[in-house]
Amino acid sequence: FQERDRLSGGDGLLEKLRPQQLLERLLPKPPAAVLDVGGGPGVHALRRARRGYAVHVVDPVPLHVEQALEGSAMAEHPLAGATVGDARRLHIANERFDVALVLGPLYHLPDRADRSAALTEAFRVLRGGGVMVAAAISRFASAIDSLASGYIDDPRFVDIVDRGLTDGRHSNPTSNIDYFTTAFLHHPDQLRAEVAAAGFAEVEVLAVESVGWAAPDLDERLRDLKKRQRLLALIARVESEMSLLGASPHLLAVGRKPAPAR
């Protein structure tokens, strides 16, 4: 499966565009130092580098790191670096970065202890006052997908959804890769609590797609600039609406490392 191509259309394109929109607003101005933990093939990292940030990617998949470096080699504004690594055990000095992006690891870590370790590591490598942005999959994403895809008619997928709704663990015992992989699905309140427990302050949870996935012409709409802007503006308008957060397939948690007392 090529992660590099996953965000090129439809739901995937919306999943890419919205974090980009949010990061423009949430991050400090360049040339801040950014650590993209679980940054994959560099989709978000290369865009931050083009904006003038000093970006280093860490990812556990060697192919992703190779692809990020390939993209960097062809870019006018290359990455500061890309290395293979584990979000739970970063081989990086304390307080080295102004921004920590954790846009992939949390939903690939079903165990709370592992998610806590990843968030604690992000906290450790940030300077005081630094910003952390972490992505999660909503607790209700599989339930919504079962309707949109028609998988609700397969009892095997219904069992997967039931487990996820019960304890957040999405486990696929079938050979159907469309039923996703082992993952953790966060309730918005749980995501907020886990980020706060790692030491972050001013924690906020925002919707990525919100209800934008419901547009019947989503792919066409996202490829038309004016229609795309209308859709993104609507999503931004309701991104923090508590009653809609769970309906968003993906969530972003934003937290700040408290600055040292003077």
Side-chain angles (χ1 to χ4, degrees):
F1 184 83
Q2 282 290 339
E3 174 67 16
R4 182 168 56 182
D5 303 327
R6 186 177 67 83
L7 304 179
S8 59
D11 293 350
L13 182 56
L14 184 57
E15 183 188 339
K16 178 175 74 171
L17 292 173
R18 270 288 291 161
Q20 290 176 352
Q21 181 187 50
L22 287 164
L23 292 178
E24 294 287 345
R25 190 177 83 221
L26 296 170
L27 301 193
K29 301 296 183 185
V34 177
L35 179 65
D36 191 351
V37 187
V43 172
H44 294 296
L46 289 168
R47 184 177 179 88
R48 290 303 102 206
R50 287 197 298 272
R51 292 286 192 268
Y53 292 91
V55 187
H56 189 97
V57 171
V58 175
D59 197 88
V61 180
L63 174 62
H64 291 169
V65 173
E66 179 183 329
Q67 290 172 335
L69 290 172
E70 288 174 356
S72 177
M74 297 184 290
E76 182 178 353
H77 301 284
L79 299 173
T83 55
V84 175
D86 188 325
R88 300 164 295 180
R89 292 178 294 276
L90 296 172
H91 298 292
I92 294 171
N94 293 349
E95 300 187 346
R96 180 178 167 188
F97 290 90
D98 304 297
V99 175
L101 302 181
V102 187
L103 301 181
L106 294 189
Y107 49 82
H108 289 300
L109 297 171
D111 293 335
R112 170 67 188 268
D114 287 330
R115 297 194 302 276
S116 177
L119 291 169
T120 299
E121 281 289 85
F123 186 90
R124 180 182 65 79
V125 302
L126 278 177
R127 300 184 179 108
V131 177
M132 191 276 304
V133 182
I137 298 178
S138 164
R139 175 65 54 86
F140 311 101
S142 291
I144 293 170
D145 186 50
S146 73
L147 296 172
S149 62
Y151 297 156
I152 193 173
D153 295 319
D154 184 345
R156 298 175 303 169
F157 194 74
V158 171
D159 288 343
I160 293 171
V161 170
D162 283 344
R163 171 82 187 267
L165 290 173
T166 300
D167 61 11
R169 287 177 173 264
H170 183 102
S171 180
N172 177 9
T174 79
S175 59
N176 187 343
I177 63 172
D178 291 334
Y179 289 178
F180 202 43
T181 186
T182 301
F184 188 79
L185 315 180
H186 275 90
H187 188 285
D189 292 342
Q190 182 183 23
L191 176 61
R192 186 181 294 104
E194 288 186 5
V195 172
F200 291 98
E202 304 172 33
V203 179
E204 186 177 17
V205 175
L206 304 172
V208 175
E209 305 94 334
S210 186
V211 294
W213 55 266
D217 58 344
L218 182 58
D219 199 62
E220 175 188 348
R221 181 166 293 276
L222 289 174
R223 297 188 186 283
D224 181 294
L225 183 57
K226 288 185 178 179
K227 290 183 177 181
R228 174 195 295 184
Q229 290 173 338
R230 291 190 196 108
L231 177 62
L232 293 178
L234 173 61
I235 294 172
R237 180 70 176 79
V238 299
E239 65 186 19
S240 58
E241 173 55 50
M242 295 289 291
S243 61
L244 286 177
L245 279 181
S248 181
H250 293 85
L251 306 166
L252 282 188
V254 186
R256 188 174 296 276
K257 181 174 182 175
R262 294 185 177 182

